[in-house]
Amino acid sequence: MNDAPDQIHGPPPVAGMVGERLVRITDEIEWAAVSPRQITPDEWQRFEEYLKEIFEALGLAAESAATADTPRRFLRALFDATSGYEGDEKLVTAFETECHGGSDCRISQIIEGPIPFFSLCEHHSLPFFGKAYVGYIAHEHILGLSKLTRLVRLFARRFSMQERIGRQLAESLQQILQPHGVAVHLEAVHLCTQMRGVREIESSTRTTHWRGTYDEDPQLRAEFFTLCGQRGPAGLG
């Protein structure tokens, strides 16, 4: 891959309508607003110098053959790991539902998972990572399964918190599809607890968010956990 800094910026795209009878791309719809980050080559070089100074202060021998490029590599990796800020206009493309009426349309779940994700804790800028399960009960539209993975990665590739990612996923699916219900379950390991402080080895954090029919139907929530391969931890079922 070409890591040249002059390839990470460019003119902003033109926003407009995407999909039929769906939402318009605006700056307020952050999952769809395509906003490439602008970093000039001069700024990139300056940031590398800052990182080199920090790494040397922490003890890294930054002039060795193995580490001379470490500031540049770190900055590039950080830039790539936070690409979710740039949005993804393709997420608003949806299809007509295959269900044409009847009670089954309100209970049939579409579930994708486990979807691996990696994010950076906004408190310490250390990684947390895990898997997500995303489900919804379609109304008039459905998404291609690959779009659910794209949506998870969009919100995960930012400085964030696990709880926020789950909430953003649930709210975005609600806005894109207006389904009968949405369920999002995330399980993650946080290196900010394992590399510093408490060091809770092998521990993980679980969060679940419900919308619509899932709020009203405990059996549906239980079925979601079963399909996800989860036992429905205390306080989440």
Side-chain angles (χ1 to χ4, degrees):
M1 181 180 70
N2 188 345
D3 286 345
D6 60 356
Q7 296 199 3
I8 65 170
H9 61 91
V14 177
M17 288 296 290
V18 178
E20 296 182 0
R21 297 188 294 112
L22 296 176
V23 297
R24 181 178 296 276
I25 297 178
T26 68
D27 290 339
E28 287 72 33
I29 304 173
E30 61 177 4
W31 42 264
V34 183
S35 304
R37 294 165 290 174
Q38 306 293 322
I39 301 178
T40 68
D42 287 344
E43 289 174 327
W44 191 269
Q45 181 62 40
R46 188 169 75 252
F47 298 158
E48 286 185 25
E49 293 298 326
Y50 292 157
L51 286 170
K52 178 181 177 182
E53 185 177 349
I54 291 170
F55 288 154
E56 288 179 328
L58 294 176
L60 179 71
E63 298 294 343
S64 72
T67 62
D69 256 358
T70 296
R72 180 188 61 82
R73 294 191 193 103
F74 180 85
L75 184 57
R76 182 72 210 196
L78 196 61
F79 187 86
D80 291 343
T82 54
S83 61
Y85 286 113
E86 299 193 2
D88 189 342
E89 82 283 4
K90 295 180 181 179
L91 287 171
V92 297
T93 303
F95 308 97
E96 296 293 326
T97 181
E98 297 296 320
C99 191
H100 301 292
S103 59
D104 184 60
C105 291
R106 293 186 60 86
I107 60 175
S108 294
Q109 302 184 69
I110 299 170
I111 297 177
E112 175 73 357
I115 302 172
F117 71 89
F118 300 85
S119 191
L120 292 170
C121 167
E122 68 178 22
H123 300 131
H124 301 97
S125 192
L126 289 172
F128 65 94
F129 57 92
K131 54 189 177 182
Y133 295 87
V134 181
Y136 66 92
I137 302 169
H139 182 42
E140 293 184 356
H141 293 92
I142 59 175
L143 280 176
L145 291 180
S146 65
K147 299 298 177 63
L148 295 177
T149 298
R150 292 171 72 105
L151 194 62
V152 171
R153 292 177 178 172
L154 174 72
F155 289 120
R157 290 176 179 173
R158 302 178 178 185
F159 296 100
S160 192
M161 298 186 297
Q162 181 175 334
E163 296 84 354
R164 182 184 304 146
I165 294 172
R167 175 179 53 78
Q168 289 174 321
L169 287 169
E171 291 177 353
S172 295
L173 276 175
Q174 191 74 34
Q175 186 173 10
I176 295 170
L177 296 175
Q178 298 183 348
H180 292 298
V182 173
V184 178
H185 178 74
L186 295 94
E187 183 170 352
V189 174
H190 293 251
L191 293 189
C192 59
T193 64
Q194 298 197 11
M195 294 179 67
R196 54 175 294 280
V198 179
R199 293 184 174 85
E200 298 176 357
I201 304 301
E202 300 300 328
S203 68
S204 62
T205 302
R206 297 179 178 182
T207 54
T208 306
H209 297 261
W210 310 114
R211 295 291 188 277
T213 306
Y214 286 97
D215 276 324
E216 306 161 3
D217 191 339
Q219 283 189 303
L220 197 60
R221 297 197 296 269
E223 182 184 354
F224 172 76
F225 276 124
T226 299
L227 293 173
C228 291
Q230 304 290 330
R231 294 179 297 172
L236 299 180

